Structures are given as C-alpha cells and as structure tokens.
Amino acid sequence: MNLVAQIAMVAAETEHHGNVQAETLIFGVIAIILFAFLGLVTLSYKNVANRRSAKAEAWAAQHGKDGHEAGHGH
C-alpha cells in the first residue's frame, strides 16, 4: 500500500471516529435532557400529590376528622 492510500485510510478512519464521537455526544446530551425532563415531571406530580394530601389533611383538621368520627365522644 502506498503512502497516499495509507494517509487516505487514516483520514477516513479519523473522520469516522470523529463522527461517532459527535453522534455519541449529541445522543448523550439528548439523553441528559430527557432524563432531566422526566425527573422534573416526576417531581411535579409528587408536588401535586403532596399538595392534595396537605389540602385533605387541612380539610379534615378543619372539620374535626382526626381519625375518629366527630360526635362519638372519643
């Protein structure tokens, strides 16, 4: 194999590896963004559930529902 062919092969391999690295970086960034988004969605749902639970507890406390039925003399 002559020198020009070897240089062309090395250049092609280098370009291919560069493309693979760029694609890997892009997919990595996309994956990070997706996981961050899913994490925020999960946290948002947990916050909504916690707020609903807190509202229910506040309503129960306001209406005398502390685990015992009101008016039973407990």
Side-chain angles (χ1 to χ4, degrees), residues 9-73:
M9 243 177 97
V10 168
E13 285 180 12
T14 303
E15 182 180 345
H16 172 73
H17 290 301
N19 288 343
V20 170
Q21 286 176 348
E23 289 170 2
T24 303
L25 178 65
I26 290 167
F27 284 125
V29 168
I30 290 170
I32 289 169
I33 291 169
L34 284 176
F35 282 120
F37 178 74
L38 290 174
L40 289 174
V41 169
T42 302
L43 284 175
S44 176
Y45 278 119
K46 285 182 180 178
N47 285 339
V48 168
N50 287 341
R51 277 185 295 198
R52 286 185 180 159
S53 178
K55 283 182 181 178
E57 289 173 12
W59 184 90
Q62 188 178 18
H63 292 85
K65 309 275 188 194
D66 61 353
H68 298 288
E69 289 297 319
H72 281 196

